[in-house]
């Protein structure tokens, strides 16, 4: 699969407004809490939990992991073939000029050393972070109180802080839903459009992205985040390069050749008729978060849309239950298609091994009658391809059973202002 290039704490009041304060044998919870960080854990990026356990791919550790930690745990210790030791040598940095602000909507950041390394890398790549101090906040499990975390976005809506070019999520986990009633999404969306601001993140940040689209009519970028990618000992070069590609290419395309990231038992395109070209607004994100927004004003209601969904560490029956949440809430009505990214770590059903992700998705196809496209290279995996949400997407089938996604009408950054290698090399 390849992406084609077609065109290739506290801030001062700037506008007179006051800124507000800123398995086998394991169930899902046990797995996410007890999985260890070992040399073989990268096997989970492409294998089931049961397979990984059986092959001794995991080692015990005192580190407590959450769902958001899972991709980091998988990739930190397992080196990627595209990232050589030579590519992790010292790089020449550029002067950061891209106005960037962080938003920490969910879990507390974690290691100070990891956070500093991530900040150094994004600065080396050309991103001028104006509020690094927010990474030091903590309230319970969260990256600050609800008011502090909401202020990362609300202060832009009020004009207390100027809108940057990039709003980069610190990490996911849980907590973004608590902030949704505290942000003026309509005004924030308008200001972001005027400035051409790009909000980037995934996982729990899906709640922010859905609210921004539903109430602010503003797009965002499904992309790696500060803590989850750029602070790694060995960052994923493919994910970093594709992050920059999505930031800079106004005509982004992504080719999908197989469905294995969703399920190896599915075709890339599941449809009852000859695949046809589909054009609509693509929206969605993490399935757990999208399903939790069903029935609320923060879930986008888009006629003729294309729904994108991904998740990690969810067994097949849990995936189906969340899909039924959306189906029964009428979310799939008036949609043109569903696109699945990675559904990693689903494992096997303890009652019947035949009940798997492929079975669930085939059932969804029968329920909705919608064409389903699988294998989109995005989710809680390494080597992911960033892409815009809440913008125009065209899906076209190719001649060998795959398909292409082509995106249009979203803000970008000038490529010459970014030094991509700074995101993964030593600084």
């Amino acid at each position: 699969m390849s992406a084609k290039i077609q065109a290739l704490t506290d801030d001062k009041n700037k506008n007179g407004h006051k800124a507000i304060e800123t398995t086998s044998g394991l169930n899902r919870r046990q797995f996410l809490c007890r999985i260890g960080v070992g040399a073989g854990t990268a096997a989970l990026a492409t294998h089931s939990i049961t397979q990984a356990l059986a092959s001794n791919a995991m080692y015990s550790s005192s580190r407590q992991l959450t769902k958001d930690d899972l991709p980091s745990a998988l990739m930190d210790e397992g080196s990627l073939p595209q990232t050589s030791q030579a590519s992790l040598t010292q790089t020449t940095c550029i002067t950061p000029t891209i106005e960037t602000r962080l938003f920490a909507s969910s879990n507390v950041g974690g290691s100070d050393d990891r956070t500093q390394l991530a900040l150094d890398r994004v600065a080396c790549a050309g991103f001028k972070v104006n509020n690094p101090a927010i990474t030091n906040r903590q309230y319970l499990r969260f990256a600050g109180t609800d008011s502090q975390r909401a202020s990362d976005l609300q202060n832009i809506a009020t004009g207390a802080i100027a809108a940057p070019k990039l709003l980069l999520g610190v990490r996911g986990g849980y907590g973004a839903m608590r902030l949704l009633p505290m942000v003026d999404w309509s005004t924030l969306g308008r200001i972001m459009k005027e400035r051409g601001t790009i909000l980037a993140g995934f996982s729990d940040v899906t709640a922010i992205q859905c609210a921004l689209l539903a109430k602010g009519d503003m797009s965002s970028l499904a992309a790696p985040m500060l803590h989850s990618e750029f602070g790694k000992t060995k960052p994923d070069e493919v994910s970093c390069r594709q992050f920059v590609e999505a930031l800079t290419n106004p005509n982004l395309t992504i080719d999908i050749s197989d469905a294995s990231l969703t399920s190896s038992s599915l075709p890339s395109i599941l449809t009852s008729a000859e695949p046809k070209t589909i054009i609509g607004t693509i929206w969605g994100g993490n399935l757990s978060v999208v399903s939790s927004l069903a029935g609320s004003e923060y879930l986008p209601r888009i006629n003729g849309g294309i729904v994108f969904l991904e998740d990690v560490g969810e067994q097949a029956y849990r995936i189906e239950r969340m899909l039924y949440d959306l189906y029964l809430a009428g979310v799939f009505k008036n949609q043109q298609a569903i696109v699945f990214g990675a559904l990693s770590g689903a494992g096997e059903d303890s009652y019947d091994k035949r009940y798997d992700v492929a079975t669930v998705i085939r059932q969804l196809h029968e329920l909705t009658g919608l064409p389903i496209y699988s294998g989109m290279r995005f989710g809680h995996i390494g080597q992911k391809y960033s892409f815009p949400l809440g913008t125009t997407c065209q899906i076209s089938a190719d001649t060998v059973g795959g398909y292409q996604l082509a995106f249009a009408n979203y803000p970008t950054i000038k490529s010459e202002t970014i030094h991509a290698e700074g995101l993964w090399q030593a600084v």
Side-chain angles (χ1 to χ4, degrees), residues 304-382:
I306 298 167
V307 186
F308 170 77
L309 300 167
E310 59 81 21
D311 219 315
V312 62
E314 299 285 1
Q315 295 177 45
Y317 83 92
R318 293 178 181 270
I319 292 171
E320 181 171 271
R321 183 164 61 193
M322 291 184 287
L323 291 171
Y324 260 92
D325 285 344
L326 298 176
Y327 170 71
L328 295 174
V331 172
F332 296 123
K333 290 181 179 178
N334 302 319
Q335 302 302 296
Q336 295 189 73
I338 303 169
V339 177
F340 280 99
L343 294 174
S344 45
E348 294 179 343
D349 187 77
S350 60
Y351 290 91
D352 191 326
K353 293 180 181 179
R354 295 172 298 178
Y355 180 68
D356 57 9
V357 168
T359 301
V360 167
I361 291 179
R362 290 181 186 278
Q363 170 70 0
L364 179 67
H365 174 58
E366 291 183 11
L367 278 173
T368 64
L370 295 174
I372 294 179
Y373 298 78
S374 296
M376 171 64 169
R377 185 151 205 109
F378 188 85
H380 292 71
I381 54 170

Side-chain angles (χ1 to χ4, degrees), residues 44-203:
L44 278 177
T46 55
H47 295 81
S48 72
I49 295 171
T50 304
Q51 291 171 317
L53 284 165
S55 63
N56 295 318
M58 298 180 293
Y59 298 82
S60 62
S61 169
S62 61
R63 179 183 174 193
Q64 295 296 304
L65 301 179
T66 67
K67 185 170 181 175
D68 180 57
D69 289 305
L70 183 56
S72 300
L74 297 179
M75 305 312 299
D76 278 348
E77 300 295 330
S79 59
L80 295 169
Q82 289 84 351
T83 306
S84 65
Q85 287 296 327
S87 71
L88 291 170
T89 57
Q90 186 73 31
T91 184
T92 301
C93 299
I94 65 172
T95 301
T97 59
I98 302 166
E99 292 296 325
T100 302
R101 294 189 67 83
L102 305 176
F103 66 96
S105 57
S106 308
N107 279 17
V108 65
S111 165
D112 291 343
D113 290 341
R114 177 170 178 153
T115 298
Q116 188 57 54
L117 180 58
L119 289 169
D120 290 343
R121 282 202 174 109
V122 297
C124 181
F127 301 95
K128 183 181 178 182
V129 177
N130 295 325
N131 62 334
I134 74 164
T135 60
N136 298 321
R137 299 183 318 214
Q138 180 171 1
Y139 172 72
L140 301 176
R141 63 173 289 140
F142 307 111
T145 65
D146 289 356
S147 178
Q148 287 174 321
R149 289 179 290 123
S151 73
D152 296 340
L153 301 171
Q154 178 62 7
N155 284 341
I156 297 173
T158 64
I161 294 168
K165 185 60 182 175
L166 177 65
L167 273 166
L168 179 62
V170 174
R171 68 173 300 175
Y174 168 70
M177 287 184 66
R178 295 168 56 131
L179 313 181
L180 301 187
M182 304 175 68
V183 178
D184 180 352
W185 299 105
S186 177
T187 302
L188 178 63
R190 175 180 57 78
I191 292 173
M192 288 177 62
K193 283 182 182 179
E194 292 171 354
R195 175 69 174 88
T197 299
I198 302 167
L199 183 145
F202 79 114
S203 192

Side-chain angles (χ1 to χ4, degrees), residues 221-273:
L221 193 69
M225 295 179 286
L226 185 81
H227 178 276
S228 62
E229 189 60 59
F230 307 129
K232 291 180 179 178
T233 303
K234 297 178 182 179
D236 174 357
E237 183 176 331
V238 172
S239 294
C240 293
R241 286 191 181 278
Q242 295 304 319
F243 172 64
V244 174
E245 173 75 0
L247 283 175
T248 59
N249 187 352
N251 299 292
L252 182 71
T253 63
I254 298 175
D255 291 324
I256 313 300
S257 59
D258 65 77
S260 58
L261 284 172
T262 304
S263 171
S264 59
S265 302
L266 282 170
S268 297
I269 305 172
L270 186 61
T271 181
S272 55

